[in-house]
Amino acid sequence: MVLIYVFLGIYLLAMLFVLFYSLAQAHLLFYFFKSKNKPKIEMARDEKSLPMVTVQLPVFNEMYVVERLIDAVAALSYPKDKLEIQILDDSTDETSDIILQKIKKYSGVNFKYLHRSDRKGFKAGALREGLAKAQGEFIAIFDADFVPDADFLLKTLPHFKDSRVGMVQSRWTHLNENYSLLTRLQAFALDAHFMVEQIGRNSQGAFINFNGTAGIWRKSCILDAGNWEEDTLTEDLDLSYRAQKKGWKFIYRPDIESPAELPPVMSAIKSQQFRWTKGGAECARKHLGSVLSGGFSWGKKLHATAHLLNSMIFIAVLLVSLSSIPIWWGFHKGLLPPSLFQASGIFFIGFIIIAMVYFFANISLVGYSLKGILKFLWELPVFLAVSMGLALHNAQAVWEGITGKKTPFVRTPKYNLREKASWTENVYNQFKVPFTTYLEALLAAVFLTVSIISIRTGNYTMLVFHVMLAFGYSVVSFASFRSYAFKRR
């Protein structure tokens, strides 16, 4: 009996964290609506007054996408004598040869090829070494899977007329959104971040983050903030907080679109998710204390707390999921009063808020169309279920981040896939099955069993939740085993 109340306590504490997170999201949604009609800044047109710009392209074993990237940056609308393009190549495969052959075709473009045989500091190290040689007053950064807008520089540079502005971030869009269910669900999540979260934070002057790519920095801001550091897996979030704590202003431009590729297979998605969630936890450990003790407004501190701790949501979801089983059993056996279940309905507010955030973020991008609404109605429950199915994998990453366990930077494989094209021939596919994948399959079986028992006994207390967990863990484990199974012939 006592043990059931222990699980109930764990469940309630985890749900309180989810509620706090959702209330912060609701506040961001309010500012999303409040800021919708802000005027846009005109493009820079006076070529004589344009500053020197360096575009940095950090690359590591990107044979499938690097030519597309080079073509895109070579087509940037900017005076050639004021544009330097650094290819920061850490590759150990044929990517290097592909790059060298490709840039020969652009003799009129100022490409600077910088190859490192030692990947010290990984992406942060490459950016730091490139910055030491950069000629530009401003530094634009694009990862290998991006295809920047030709007018990107002309649209972003006018913001730097304000000497306090240190970085301008554009909105990611998706080259292969409709490739599969997995790419669609990723787009669903990213659109919420780039619409509601980034707009909501930026419009009220809260901390926002450079997203690692598709943004442009003032070089002096990077240096003033201490330059790129590799002590976290999210060097972008780390530098963002260091710069804003020193008083630099960031600008987010959702109207400037930067198309990129979404990982099409679960192993690549997990690699990316692990880096993002662990790096976020590492940045929380590094910055949250100084933000809370700093001279910032309470609103800014609260949003920074929610921002830096947002990866903790996966630990909360995992705890809620696991503790729900003994609680369900307690209700089934009459060990817990039904009034407790009714009172816990207050936590449903959090899920309504989260659903609203995703609704307005995604529907606003398609003009609130009926087709978009109908699409949202099936995407939301599938997205929530699969997100919960990733909770075990991501909770491990968060735990390693908050406890200080160090792991190397693992890149996300790029594919350059057209619709219906196969990903199985990619040489960068991962083949070693992590132990957590077997645990995910086990959890799928456990929650499926609990759901069946609930139906057969007529105890529907947590049936919807457990069915979603069974579905989510089934999808994640099946897609994981499938993605690790294919080897290049």
Side-chain angles (χ1 to χ4, degrees), residues 431-461:
F431 308 124
K432 183 178 179 181
V433 181
F435 178 66
T436 51
T437 299
Y438 296 99
L439 292 179
E440 287 161 353
L442 175 62
L443 287 173
V446 168
F447 287 113
L448 178 60
T449 301
V450 170
S451 300
I452 292 171
I453 293 173
S454 295
I455 294 170
R456 297 183 71 173
T457 59
N459 178 18
Y460 306 121
T461 307

Side-chain angles (χ1 to χ4, degrees), residues 256-368:
I256 303 176
E257 298 181 3
S258 294
E261 177 185 300
L262 296 163
V265 295
M266 187 58 75
S267 59
I269 294 169
K270 282 185 168 182
S271 172
Q272 187 178 72
Q273 288 278 311
F274 193 92
R275 190 173 69 249
W276 286 354
T277 52
K278 180 174 180 176
E282 289 174 329
C283 284
R285 182 178 177 179
K286 184 174 181 178
H287 294 291
L288 187 55
S290 60
V291 169
L292 293 177
S293 62
F296 306 108
S297 68
W298 276 107
K300 201 165 185 176
K301 289 179 179 180
L302 286 173
H303 275 294
T305 301
H307 188 193
L308 289 169
L309 294 180
N310 63 5
S311 60
M312 294 287 291
I313 197 78
F314 291 105
I315 288 183
V317 168
L318 183 62
L319 291 175
V320 167
S321 303
L322 296 177
S323 60
S324 71
I325 296 175
I327 292 171
W328 162 80
W329 185 254
F331 283 121
H332 178 62
K333 291 296 184 181
L335 301 175
L336 293 173
S339 58
L340 273 178
F341 181 71
Q342 295 168 359
S344 66
I346 190 172
F347 294 121
F348 191 63
I349 295 172
F351 290 100
I352 293 174
I353 292 171
I354 291 171
M356 289 175 62
V357 167
Y358 284 103
F359 176 80
F360 288 108
N362 283 270
I363 300 304
S364 65
L365 291 172
V366 294
Y368 298 91

